[in-house]
Amino acid sequence: MDESCWDDVAMRGIVAMVLYALHLRERRAVDEIRWEAVLWHLRDDKHVEALVTAVLPGAGHDLTRTAPTGDPVAECWRWLTRTWDPNAPTKGSALTFMGPTHQPESLWVPDTPEFRWDGMSRGVGSGLPDPALEVGVNWAAGVVQSAITSESGGYGTHQRVKVKAGPLKGHRGYVRELGWVFNDEAQTVEGPAGYVVDLDDVEGLERLDADHLTRGRDHQWPRRPQGTLKVAPPPLRDPLPPRKTCGQDLEEILDRASNPEIVPPQLRQTIASAKEHHHLTLDAQATPAPQRFTWHVLMHWYQLTEHYADDQRADLYEVIIKRHLHDASPKHYLALREDDVPDLIARCMAAAE
């Protein structure tokens, strides 16, 4: 646990709030709360929010944003559910100048009353303004999964295993994912019930029951035996897809946009025949609950000549509006000029309320 790391503070806070809420609801000591019950609630942030908001107010904790400070439980919840300014200054971004008395004074850029991420370091979703509860709930679930697998003798991600039963008996590989049985009636999980395994001599991935696996002791990450089908360990991240042409890129943008008609035919032809396309994030902001919105502004610019020239470029701006970080159907709107973006955001948010 690193107190100066936003990621650690977020994960600890999420787990602590669930443990405390279950302690109050079940009238049992925190040490008696099973990790399986915690993991059931960590399936997504909505389950965490439903538990906390149903239990904690009855114990005297005011979770509203306007209540006076002082209650550490309420303060933890407000921290987890607040939105962030990804453009706030970091601790090292102050400009210093010599004042009239030749004493150093601080001049902050931009005009923001706080440090970015509360002055902490951050690696998880470092460009996202969304609340820590939404960003970090899956990471918190991973911490709890590790606790359960350690206590139960299960296998962790990238651990070496051997198949001891079933049609793939004798094969070896690496664990990629853990599988659980969610008991919604009892609000608990069972498992790990199964694993997604990357086997050395089988194409793709296999889903295997936990009872069909045993710990592999032939070697450890990151090697595979000589002569196997797969010579490298499973990738930590999926490879990037093949790069699209400018025309294909524009077609995807227009297909998901709510106002594709704003891009005239002549500009479409110009972009389709361009040499390169580039995507640049210009802005990412969010509004707090209950009027919960997140917007991202992307600049798509297309290099019209083989060698870059500032006057040989076609620009297109995309505004993505979400009601939730994991919104499966965000709204996409296009603008031809950056100056039109603020008004577009205001109109989109007003229409969504």
Side-chain angles (χ1 to χ4, degrees):
M1 176 66 206
D2 183 354
E3 298 289 347
S4 63
C5 175
W6 187 94
D7 312 353
D8 284 6
V9 173
M11 288 184 277
R12 178 185 63 181
I14 294 169
V15 174
M17 293 301 295
V18 172
L19 275 171
Y20 181 56
L22 290 175
H23 150 73
L24 292 175
R25 191 184 72 177
E26 306 298 330
R27 300 178 182 273
R28 298 167 57 193
V30 171
D31 289 343
E32 296 178 4
I33 303 298
R34 292 179 55 81
W35 285 121
E36 287 80 359
V38 176
L39 184 58
W40 186 92
H41 288 88
L42 293 178
R43 61 201 304 177
D44 57 46
D45 59 284
K46 294 300 184 184
H47 282 78
V48 176
E49 183 178 13
L51 172 68
V52 171
T53 56
V55 175
L56 267 61
H61 299 291
D62 188 345
L63 304 181
T64 63
R65 294 178 177 273
T66 57
T69 59
D71 177 4
V73 175
E75 287 304 300
C76 179
W77 184 247
R78 290 175 199 159
W79 190 92
L80 291 172
T81 56
R82 61 160 292 186
T83 52
W84 302 87
D85 179 5
N87 299 312
T90 61
K91 278 190 173 181
S93 65
L95 298 179
T96 301
F97 72 99
M98 300 303 290
T101 58
H102 302 288
Q103 295 297 322
E105 299 181 13
S106 293
L107 182 66
W108 302 109
V109 180
D111 183 15
T112 308
E114 61 184 354
F115 286 123
R116 193 180 309 175
W117 321 132
D118 265 357
M120 303 177 189
S121 63
R122 179 173 174 179
V124 176
S126 58
L128 296 179
D130 305 271
L133 178 61
E134 297 176 21
V135 175
V137 67
N138 291 335
W139 293 84
V143 172
V144 175
Q145 285 185 128
S146 297
I148 297 174
T149 54
S150 177
E151 291 177 357
S152 65
Y155 314 116
T157 305
H158 294 142
Q159 187 169 341
R160 190 75 175 161
V161 292
K162 178 182 177 181
V163 184
K164 65 178 183 180
L168 295 172
K169 181 179 180 180
H171 284 270
R172 301 171 187 266
Y174 293 101
V175 172
R176 294 296 301 272
E177 298 177 25
L178 286 66
W180 307 85
V181 175
F182 282 80
N183 186 334
D184 293 338
E185 183 177 355
Q187 293 192 357
T188 189
V189 302
E190 301 167 11
Y195 298 88
V196 176
V197 183
D198 184 351
L199 297 172
D200 298 338
D201 284 307
V202 179
E203 288 284 5
L205 304 175
E206 294 291 331
R207 296 179 180 272
L208 302 171
D209 291 340
D211 293 342
H212 289 182
L213 296 177
T214 187
R215 193 176 307 276
R217 304 186 184 279
D218 52 336
H219 59 84
Q220 297 297 322
W221 176 275
R223 297 188 298 109
R224 289 191 196 263
Q226 293 291 331
T228 55
L229 174 67
K230 302 171 184 175
V231 296
L236 293 173
R237 296 179 179 86
D238 292 332
L240 293 174
R243 186 170 177 82
K244 301 180 289 289
T245 66
C246 294
Q248 291 171 330
D249 183 65
L250 176 63
E251 185 177 346
E252 288 188 9
I253 293 172
L254 294 174
D255 185 59
R256 64 185 181 233
S258 297
N259 59 339
E261 69 283 351
I262 198 173
V263 185
Q266 184 176 355
L267 179 57
R268 297 187 187 195
Q269 295 174 5
T270 300
I271 291 175
S273 60
K275 303 294 183 181
E276 296 281 350
H277 62 91
H278 306 267
H279 300 167
L280 178 65
T281 297
L282 296 183
D283 189 23
Q285 296 188 50
T287 57
Q291 285 78 33
R292 177 74 174 87
F293 293 100
T294 298
W295 66 90
H296 291 254
V297 180
L298 298 178
M299 176 185 180
H300 307 283
W301 63 273
Y302 300 85
Q303 184 176 319
L304 304 182
T305 55
E306 186 172 354
H307 300 288
Y308 174 76
D310 192 49
D311 60 345
Q312 291 295 310
R313 197 181 78 193
D315 299 340
L316 191 60
Y317 298 89
E318 182 177 18
V319 176
I320 305 171
I321 304 287
K322 294 184 179 182
R323 293 302 302 263
H324 185 276
L325 174 64
H326 306 294
D327 188 348
S329 303
K331 300 296 183 182
H332 298 255
Y333 300 92
L334 301 178
L336 300 183
R337 300 187 314 132
E338 187 175 1
D339 292 344
D340 298 333
V341 169
D343 182 60
L344 176 60
I345 293 174
R347 286 188 283 110
C348 293
M349 291 175 60
E353 287 182 346

